[in-house]
Amino acid sequence: MIGITHLRFYIEHSLHDLTRNGRRTLFALFCVAAGVAAIVALRTLALSIGDTLTENIARTNHGDILVSARNTRDAIQVSAISGTGGTRAFSPQSLDAINTWAKKNGVQVTSAITDVNIQVAGLSGSSVGRPQFISSLVIDPKTYPFYGPVVALDPPGVPLSKLFTGGNDVVISDNLAKGQNIKVGDQVRVSRTTEPFTVRGIVSGDEEGFRSILVLFFGFAYFDKASAKTLQIDTAPDEIYLQAPPGREIEALSENLQRAVPTINRTRTTDQLRHSNQQIADVVDRLIVSMGLTALLIGATGIIHTMLVVVRRRTVEIAVLKTIGLKGNQIALLFLVESIIMGILGSLFGIVLGLLFSVVVQAFTQQIWPHALTWRIYPQALWTGFSLGVLVTAVFGFLPTLTASRVRPAVVLRPNEAQLPASGCLQTLFALLFVIVSVGLIVGGLIGNFSFGNIVINGSIAGIIAVALTFLALGVIISILWFLVLIIGRLPAFGSVDLKLALRGIGDHRFRTATTLLALIAGMFALSTITLVSSSVPKLLNLGFQNVLGGNVLVFTPVPLLRPLVNIQLNSLQGVESFSQLAFFSGELTAVNGDRDWVSKVDLNIPSFSGTPIGDSGRGVGRFDNASIARASVGTVSGQDVTAKGYSSGTILAGRGLGPQDSGKSVLVMRDSEIVRQLGIAPGDKVMYRFSGREREYEIVGILPQASSLSALSGSLSGAATIPINAFPSGVSSTIEFTVAKVNDTGLNAALVAFSAIPGVFAIDVGFIDSLIKKLINQFTAIPTVVAVLALFAGAVIIANTVSLATLERRRQIGVMKAVGLKGRRALWVMVLENGIVGLIGGIIGVGIGSLATFLISISSGLSIFESVDWLSIALLMALSIAITLAATLLSAWTAVSEKPMNVLRYE
């Protein structure tokens, strides 16, 4: 047992040593503080998100009980022309049953139509803005919502019920107003009608923030149900909200409703929503804190560096202490207490720094989070940061203490020959096991127990295994970096003395330089991967959509009867340069040149297996064998309007493409494939297709190129074959139809408005898809970006700590060089050159690995790397890596190289 007197000695001695070490202690504290600050900032964010998810549940649910038509067995399918775009709505029978039950139980009822395909565009004089898809809610403003009245931001404080006047009114969210530059009193055009609507109010986007992605990114609009006729939509709602009378148990009331109305399969109560949101909050909390632990572990490597230097510089002192009677375990305990004190002080500093970081992190996250995040001080976040900081620092500080305990007393007799003893293999193995188990228990406590199927996995065991594998991987990586540093240290200097000194400085402490490189590489890899993927993927997809589709507007026509209305607009609108109409048909290739047994001549090397295939519902769906795959691969056929303005078949391998002269004729172009090659199909051959039980023979006039990579999208848009759209057997219906139009910039807005005015038809600007993808990527990468930046900050502190330790160890060398005439600025230049090389190497490796993913995506997509990779971002990331190391060098080495030679030579 440790007595009070002994503990007091350990603490006083440790405090004295920390004070004497000065700058070494300061940078070590920064290492701990950087990791703790990341934990505090991220845990604060996680708890803030959790509060957002679990507060105001009734308002989020829009009532005590929510009943959706998607969970009702007798819901009706509303027509695409007059309804909500072919979606489900409550049947009259279900509505009557729910209203009867509600009246009997004293429950208040309101409803909404939430699934309406509506676009909104601002009007300015005679010009119209860009139509934008939004989430629309058709409501009864007198009763919606039950909880938390919707109050306008403009005009301020006016409730939703008083904003509607009974005319063509609309109330929009603030993000929609900002994106379209719309103000109260402005008129807007909405799809399904040519009548303008007047904006009567602007409300906060938080009101419907969790409803859908469209709400989050583009906003929403409230319409009065009195406008349903103008919008040409059915008044049948698809969501019903119920408010329970005071004192009624919500879950019991929900069960009673489902018994009274058997057609309702499932409801969502506030308790169920709270439970599910709490589970999401717990997962977010664990995930964010686990990611933040990365920054703390990176910072903890600075503790190892510092304690090793401290032990190395105090070998004589340790020998004296052992001479006067201290045992090896007491020496180890002395340094362990010192590392714990360092962890306490660093964690306290990290808490203050973390609170400052949390404000910035929360402001950044707020840009993509659908509800307002309230910043507050969470004691849980402070305690998590403090406890993890002290624990991780103590664990990592334990390793150097083993070396201190092995210093021999005889060093007192040979102080000028003092060497740091090496730890024994058994001792080192024990230390590594101690660190792995300790850190594994920390990680296990963060992730908790989780299930994989029916198997429940203990979080502590999973944490220990994960940490063990991580240490093994890090050991391999550090070994590789160690050899890399060894090679760099021996590179030729080409006659440059400064470069020679810089290279020697890199190679003097290979392990320290290798771990510093690892910290820099980890931060740069994470940041570069997020940056490059988020900038390159939208560019890749945009290139794919623009180039493959052959246009910038997609017009969907769910019902073939709407095609003539779309054609009228296509031929009359200004700015339409070309268009192509496609209809997809599900058919079967029944004969090739009269041979109905063509399948037996095809070998796709697909193994057959018995049993019910996926998707087989007992209707005799083909099994996954050679024959079924062969039939399926040539069964999807597209029909195209070959008379459309600007129509082109594209590249043709053999024969010719389709043209206006082929309208209504039994001809087609086939896409090249393994089946086509094995059957020897060529222009002039004839094939028989069956559609909906009707057969028709077609002559092949041309062969299209095989689809590959991104051009596979083109293949999917033409199917295995392309036939003139008016050359299918009569009575055959397509599975889906759409038009691809190329519209110039001046006529784009008007074209989108004109198409959207046709009930049941909706048009999409391809740029909207690109914008949606960018916003999705930004949302999903927001928190990883924060973690990467914090980890990079921790890496920068590690670099500063490493430079500081190296500089302090070489002060005598610097003093000697200055004594023989070397200027201070040249000594500083050597340090800058040395660490600039480290930064360059770290940037090349970290950014290079991150860029590799982007390169692979580019190559697999069939596009040139120069078209898809953001080279400017790569250059900026490389510059950032070098700038971090140079800034850390200047910050930590400036004072040392500025001291007078006599002061340095008298150093300790």
Side-chain angles (χ1 to χ4, degrees):
M1 297 293 292
I2 301 176
I4 300 298
T5 304
H6 290 164
L7 181 60
R8 180 178 178 182
F9 165 74
Y10 291 145
I11 295 175
E12 289 180 351
H13 190 279
S14 298
L15 290 174
H16 174 72
D17 183 62
L18 291 174
T19 304
R20 187 178 63 176
N21 283 323
R23 199 180 306 162
R24 284 193 298 272
T25 301
L26 181 63
F27 277 101
L29 294 179
F30 263 113
C31 291
V32 179
V36 172
I39 293 288
V40 171
L42 293 173
R43 186 83 202 278
T44 299
L45 174 64
L47 292 173
S48 180
I49 291 175
D51 286 348
T52 303
L53 289 171
T54 55
E55 291 177 350
N56 299 321
I57 292 296
R59 182 173 183 175
T60 303
N61 203 45
H62 298 90
D64 298 317
I65 303 173
L66 182 149
V67 186
S68 173
R70 291 183 293 274
N71 300 321
T72 305
R73 282 190 287 268
D74 67 341
I76 59 174
Q77 189 78 11
V78 181
S79 69
I81 297 179
S82 62
T84 60
T87 59
R88 294 173 66 85
F90 284 101
S91 67
Q93 294 79 11
S94 291
L95 287 174
D96 290 341
I98 293 173
N99 287 326
T100 300
W101 174 88
K103 186 176 181 180
K104 180 179 178 181
N105 289 272
V107 174
Q108 299 296 315
V109 180
T110 189
S111 60
I113 305 172
T114 65
D115 197 5
V116 188
N117 297 322
I118 288 182
Q119 291 175 294
V120 171
L123 289 175
S124 178
S126 59
S127 62
V128 62
R130 180 68 53 84
Q132 181 170 297
F133 269 104
I134 60 170
S135 179
S136 302
L137 292 92
V138 182
I139 61 170
D140 181 354
K142 296 178 182 179
T143 58
Y144 180 93
F146 284 132
Y147 292 98
V150 177
V151 178
L153 300 175
D154 185 18
V158 179
L160 185 65
S161 58
K162 295 183 179 180
L163 292 174
F164 289 94
T165 64
N168 289 343
D169 300 330
V170 61
V171 177
I172 64 175
S173 61
D174 54 352
N175 52 344
L176 173 59
K178 183 178 179 181
Q180 292 274 5
N181 194 25
I182 299 173
K183 301 179 180 61
V184 173
D186 289 352
Q187 288 191 326
V188 296
R189 287 286 297 273
V190 300
S191 54
R192 300 174 172 271
T193 180
T194 57
E195 296 185 27
F197 276 67
T198 303
V199 177
R200 297 299 182 185
I202 297 174
V203 299
S204 171
D206 291 350
E207 301 295 345
E208 305 289 339
F210 286 112
R211 183 170 291 280
S212 70
I213 292 178
L214 288 178
V215 172
L216 174 62
F217 295 147
F218 304 107
F220 63 89
Y222 292 119
F223 294 93
D224 191 336
K225 68 177 184 180
S227 303
K229 184 177 181 180
T230 303
L231 294 172
Q232 302 186 58
I233 60 174
D234 197 294
T235 56
D238 62 303
E239 285 190 1
I240 294 177
Y241 316 108
L242 306 174
Q243 183 183 36
R248 292 295 297 270
E249 211 282 324
I250 305 300
E251 289 297 326
L253 199 62
S254 174
E255 294 174 2
N256 182 276
L257 169 62
Q258 294 181 65
R259 288 194 299 269
V261 187
T263 57
I264 297 177
N265 295 338
R266 183 171 58 87
T267 61
R268 189 179 74 182
T269 66
T270 50
D271 290 339
Q272 293 170 346
L273 180 60
R274 182 180 293 105
H275 178 70
S276 62
N277 282 1
Q278 186 61 58
Q279 289 182 319
I280 296 173
D282 291 341
V283 171
V284 171
D285 188 15
R286 293 176 180 178
L287 179 62
I288 290 180
V289 176
S290 298
M291 291 191 296
L293 185 62
T294 304
L296 181 58
L297 295 179
I298 290 175
T301 60
I303 301 299
I304 299 179
H305 294 166
T306 301
M307 295 303 294
L308 284 173
V309 171
V310 168
V311 172
R312 183 181 294 111
R313 296 185 64 83
R314 294 169 60 189
T315 51
V316 175
E317 176 189 343
I318 295 170
V320 171
L321 291 174
K322 298 189 75 171
T323 302
I324 63 178
L326 264 69
K327 303 297 183 182
N329 60 341
Q330 293 175 311
I331 297 295
L333 184 59
L334 177 65
F335 282 92
L336 184 60
V337 169
E338 184 172 326
S339 66
I340 291 175
I341 294 175
M342 197 179 301
I344 293 174
L345 296 176
S347 297
L348 291 174
F349 179 40
I351 287 174
V352 177
L353 193 62
L355 290 175
L356 297 176
F357 282 175
S358 66
V359 177
V360 179
V361 168
Q362 191 158 303
F364 175 77
T365 309
Q366 184 64 78
Q367 303 300 316
I368 55 90
W369 191 250
H371 272 276
L373 296 172
T374 303
W375 184 90
R376 66 186 68 165
I377 296 177
Y378 291 92
Q380 308 98 302
L382 305 185
W383 172 247
T384 301
F386 179 81
S387 58
L388 287 178
V390 174
L391 187 57
V392 170
T393 303
V395 168
F396 278 78
F398 175 74
L399 296 175
T401 64
L402 298 178
T403 302
S405 67
R406 294 177 63 85
V407 174
R408 296 178 180 274
V411 171
V412 175
L413 303 176
R414 299 187 300 274
N416 293 329
E417 300 177 10
Q419 296 292 330
L420 193 64
S423 300
C425 294
L426 186 61
Q427 195 176 34
T428 302
L429 179 61
F430 170 76
L432 285 175
L433 288 175
F434 172 76
V435 172
I436 289 173
V437 172
S438 301
V439 178
L441 291 175
I442 295 173
V443 175
L446 291 174
I447 63 177
N449 298 336
F450 58 95
S451 59
F452 187 77
N454 296 326
I455 303 175
V456 178
I457 301 176
N458 183 272
S460 299
I461 296 176
I464 293 173
I465 294 175
V467 171
L469 295 176
T470 301
F471 268 66
L472 178 62
L474 290 178
V476 174
I477 295 173
I478 290 177
S479 299
I480 295 174
L481 293 177
W482 189 92
F483 281 106
L484 178 62
V485 171
L486 175 65
I487 295 172
I488 293 172
R490 297 183 178 181
L491 289 176
F494 305 104
S496 172
V497 176
D498 294 343
L499 181 57
K500 182 66 176 178
L501 291 173
L503 293 175
R504 180 175 295 177
I506 291 175
D508 280 346
H509 302 281
R510 289 187 283 274
F511 175 76
R512 185 190 301 165
T513 305
T515 53
T516 302
L517 269 175
L518 178 62
L520 181 62
I521 289 170
M524 293 307 302
F525 165 71
L527 192 60
S528 64
T529 301
I530 294 169
T531 302
L532 294 175
V533 170
S534 61
S535 63
S536 298
V537 169
K539 188 184 300 183
L540 281 170
L541 294 177
N542 188 49
L543 284 172
F545 284 127
Q546 293 280 3
N547 295 336
V548 175
L549 292 177
N552 56 348
V553 175
L554 291 177
V555 184
F556 289 90
T557 50
V559 179
L561 294 176
L562 298 173
R563 191 191 310 157
L565 299 178
V566 174
N567 288 339
I568 292 174
Q569 298 290 359
L570 288 170
N571 291 304
S572 61
L573 285 171
Q574 297 292 326
V576 177
E577 298 177 357
S578 62
F579 64 90
S580 176
Q581 290 185 321
L582 296 92
F584 290 95
F585 296 83
S586 179
E588 180 186 0
L589 180 62
T590 56
V592 177
N593 291 323
D595 182 6
R596 292 184 175 270
D597 191 29
W598 63 269
V599 175
S600 63
K601 300 178 176 59
V602 175
D603 183 11
L604 299 179
N605 295 318
I606 298 173
S608 302
F609 62 88
S610 59
T612 302
I614 298 173
D616 192 348
S617 303
R619 297 188 301 271
V621 179
R623 301 187 181 280
F624 289 104
D625 53 21
N626 186 82
S628 62
I629 296 298
R631 290 192 177 95
S633 62
V634 293
T636 301
V637 179
S638 67
Q640 295 197 19
D641 183 358
V642 294
T643 63
K645 183 194 304 182
Y647 169 79
S648 172
S649 289
T651 305
I652 298 295
L653 292 181
R656 65 174 180 84
L658 298 177
Q661 71 279 5
D662 297 312
S663 178
K665 295 182 179 179
S666 297
V667 294
L668 60 78
V669 289
M670 203 85 174
R671 183 164 294 278
D672 186 28
S673 66
E674 182 65 25
I675 295 176
V676 170
R677 288 190 292 271
Q678 289 190 21
L679 294 176
I681 294 177
D685 290 344
K686 295 185 178 181
V687 293
M688 183 82 72
Y689 267 100
R690 179 188 292 125
F691 302 100
S692 301
R694 298 175 176 84
E695 285 190 334
R696 187 166 180 175
E697 189 176 54
Y698 298 90
E699 179 184 353
I700 300 174
V701 297
I703 303 294
L704 298 170
Q706 184 176 14
S708 62
S709 302
L710 246 188
S711 61
L713 178 60
S714 176
S716 66
L717 291 179
S718 62
T722 301
I723 299 174
I725 200 168
N726 54 357
F728 287 86
S730 60
V732 175
S733 298
S734 60
T735 56
I736 186 173
E737 289 193 17
F738 66 90
T739 299
V740 180
K742 185 176 182 180
V743 186
N744 59 35
D745 293 338
T746 57
L748 182 57
N749 290 353
L752 290 170
V753 171
F755 291 131
S756 299
I758 304 173
V761 171
F762 59 98
I764 298 179
D765 176 15
V766 172
F768 169 82
I769 301 175
D770 182 45
S771 175
L772 179 61
I773 292 171
K774 286 181 179 178
K775 290 180 181 293
L776 280 171
I777 291 176
N778 290 338
Q779 182 183 28
F780 288 119
T781 59
I783 293 178
T785 299
V786 170
V787 175
V789 170
L790 292 176
L792 192 59
F793 173 76
V797 175
I798 291 293
I799 295 168
N801 180 63
T802 302
V803 174
S804 175
L805 294 176
T807 304
L808 291 174
E809 286 185 320
R810 293 158 59 185
R811 291 183 72 194
R812 185 174 295 275
Q813 174 188 346
I814 295 172
V816 171
M817 290 190 296
K818 292 184 71 174
V820 297
L822 185 71
K823 300 296 182 182
R825 61 177 177 271
R826 188 172 180 186
L828 181 62
W829 161 248
V830 172
M831 298 295 296
V832 168
L833 183 61
E834 174 184 329
N835 292 286
I837 294 173
V838 173
L840 177 62
I841 295 171
I844 291 175
I845 298 176
V847 179
I849 297 174
S851 303
L852 183 61
T854 308
F855 293 165
L856 294 176
I857 293 174
S858 305
I859 296 172
S860 64
S861 301
L863 297 178
S864 167
I865 292 176
F866 296 96
E867 290 181 325
S868 56
V869 177
D870 193 343
W871 295 100
L872 177 61
S873 295
I874 293 177
L876 292 176
L877 288 167
M878 289 293 299
L880 175 63
S881 177
I882 298 173
I884 289 173
T885 54
L886 296 184
T889 302
L890 294 174
L891 178 65
S892 56
W894 183 272
T895 305
V897 299
S898 301
E899 290 193 50
K900 295 181 180 180
M902 293 304 298
N903 292 339
V904 176
L905 295 177
R906 289 198 301 268
Y907 181 67
E908 296 186 351

